[in-house]
Amino acid sequence: MKNESLESYSTRIADRITLPDPVIVGLSFGGMMAIEIAKIIPVKKIILISSAKGKKELPPYFTVCRYIPFHKLLPLHAKGSRTKILFYILGAKNEDQKKYLQDNIRINNRTGFNTWAIDKVVRWNNTEAVPNLVHIHGNKDKLLPHRYVKVDHMIANGGHLLIVNQAKEVSALLQKLVPLY
């Protein structure tokens, strides 16, 4: 994966989807992946949560990182004082949320996925609009501030981890958007 392009990775994931016209829900980088997958296979609906639809919705500091790789200095280890910066940016509000975040960082660091994915986000050039897309975002997201994204559903007081700290509200919304048949 180290030198794999986002398009190649998206194709590998899309090849594993066997259901016709799936509903794809993508959180953060997963939302960007959902968009790339929808360029490859037909989908019934895409639901983005705490994500962006294209490079124009990424904050200016992402563009700066294309030329000056500040993102490579991120504290992508599960411990240490610099991790507090990640807790703040991602909106971890209590010890359970901090543990959830640390566990995810630790698991994804084993394969180098975090470093690879962050670099792909910084360099993402999507300008293509995909149909049947619904965007859910928090108005307190510090990583992808809502002023840069056009959303369909804004979650009050939702940070980047709104699926954790506003889980009931997000779950109720998802049940409306994807009713069981």
Side-chain angles (χ1 to χ4, degrees), residues 138-168:
N139 69 339
K140 303 285 185 185
D141 192 319
K142 292 176 182 72
L143 182 64
L144 298 170
H146 76 279
R147 68 182 171 271
Y148 299 110
V149 295
K150 293 183 176 119
V151 302
D152 300 296
H153 301 278
M154 185 69 70
I155 305 293
N157 298 312
H160 201 68
L161 287 180
L162 65 91
I163 61 152
V164 176
N165 42 35
Q166 269 90 3
K168 288 181 183 178

Side-chain angles (χ1 to χ4, degrees), residues 36 47 94 106 117 145 160 172:
E36 293 300 320
I47 301 172
N94 59 42
R106 187 182 67 254
H160 201 68

Side-chain angles (χ1 to χ4, degrees), residues 25 34 41 50 125 131 133 156 164 171 176:
V25 179
I41 64 170
S50 302
N125 284 314
L133 187 141
V164 176
S171 181
K176 290 178 187 173

Side-chain angles (χ1 to χ4, degrees), residues 104-116:
N104 279 290
I105 290 169
R106 187 182 67 254
I107 290 166
N108 289 323
N109 271 351
R110 290 180 190 154
T111 61
F113 182 81
N114 291 335
T115 302
W116 176 85

